[in-house]
Amino acid sequence: MNILAPVRRDRVLAELPQCLRKEAALHVHKDFHPRVTCACQKHRTGTVGFKISKIIVVGDLSVGKTCLINRFCKDTFDKNYKATIGVDFEMERFEVLGIPFSLQLWDTAGQERFKCIASTYYRGAQAIIVVFSLNDVASLEHTKQWLADALKENDPSSVLLFLVGSKKDLSTPAQYALMEKDALQVAQEMKAEYWAVSSLTGENVREFFFRVAALTFEANVLAELEKSGARRIGDIVRINSDDSNLYLTASKKKPTCCP
Ligand SMILES: Nc1nc2c(ncn2[C@@H]2O[C@H](COP(=O)(O)OP(=O)(O)OP(=O)(O)O)[C@@H](O)[C@H]2O)c(=O)[nH]1
Ligand SMILES: [Mg+2]
């Protein structure tokens, strides 16, 4: 997909999408961080509008990683299983608070024999999506190992984590409630945000990816503001021949839009 193609109208985010469950959310604020909203209004988001954020999707074989990405990116669903060999990726362009923002969704193989190829693509992720099947308790148990492997290649302090239960359509409400209890606990231990989706019916798929895009965008803008703040305070060195001090540090004033 051409990343310069116009953003689809249904990829425009004007508000912060809400979490699914407050007990396992990355944050529960109703709106974007005020500094982020303000920076976007003033179009002072630095390089964020030109960046592509890498998101990796990991989890056991056949839990539905490819179907999840295909439901969101292509609005299709294939009931036949075709194993992913190594990795695949899709690009998705969004517009968040008026700023263009792109996600590169990396779909990795769950099959053991392809795992070592797939793991070479883990590096540099801004978010990790660990998928398990809501009707397969073993796949939930394996999520911790998938996360540990993905974190080896990434900075655990800055990467955003999501735990996604797939195939929600296959559970009765009672079965789902039981599984959700365990999944929420795992999500809390991982410090991940929990979602439950169905790629067959489309339930929560769009809401989930919008949340991923919004939180990744927010984290990117905050990091950018922090970087530009640091530059403003310490890094700018001006040479002024009229001054006895050759080195003047730049103004320590905060950007006006920051509360
Ligand atoms: N009923 C139902 N079936 C699903 C759903 N998502 C995926 N499936 C089925 O589960 C099987 C595996 O889906 P994939 O998306 O290929 O699984 P995967 O995680 O990408 O598997 P690997 O590429 O081997 O790691 C396919 O037969 C899908 O049709 C869902 O939401 N509901
Ligand atoms: Mg796959």
Side-chain angles (χ1 to χ4, degrees), residues 121-134:
Y121 292 87
Y122 288 172
R123 187 161 300 176
Q126 302 214 348
I128 300 171
I129 299 172
V130 190
V131 184
F132 70 98
S133 170
L134 286 162

Side-chain angles (χ1 to χ4, degrees), residues 168-239:
K168 189 165 184 279
D169 57 281
L170 294 178
S171 309
T172 63
Q175 286 167 336
Y176 174 73
L178 265 180
M179 194 64 153
E180 191 192 61
K181 217 166 137 254
D182 292 343
L184 284 171
Q185 198 178 332
V186 174
Q188 284 162 351
E189 284 164 20
M190 286 179 169
K191 297 192 177 13
E193 178 157 310
Y194 170 74
W195 280 81
V197 299
S198 166
S199 305
L200 174 72
T201 65
E203 183 181 353
N204 288 341
V205 172
R206 182 183 142 90
E207 290 81 350
F208 166 63
F209 280 107
F210 269 43
R211 180 82 175 158
V212 173
L215 294 184
T216 313
F217 175 82
E218 186 178 52
N220 265 285
V221 177
L222 285 172
E224 193 75 23
L225 290 172
E226 208 162 286
K227 252 194 338 198
S228 61
R231 271 205 297 276
R232 208 167 286 123
I233 291 164
D235 295 348
I236 301 171
V237 175
R238 200 188 314 137
I239 297 176

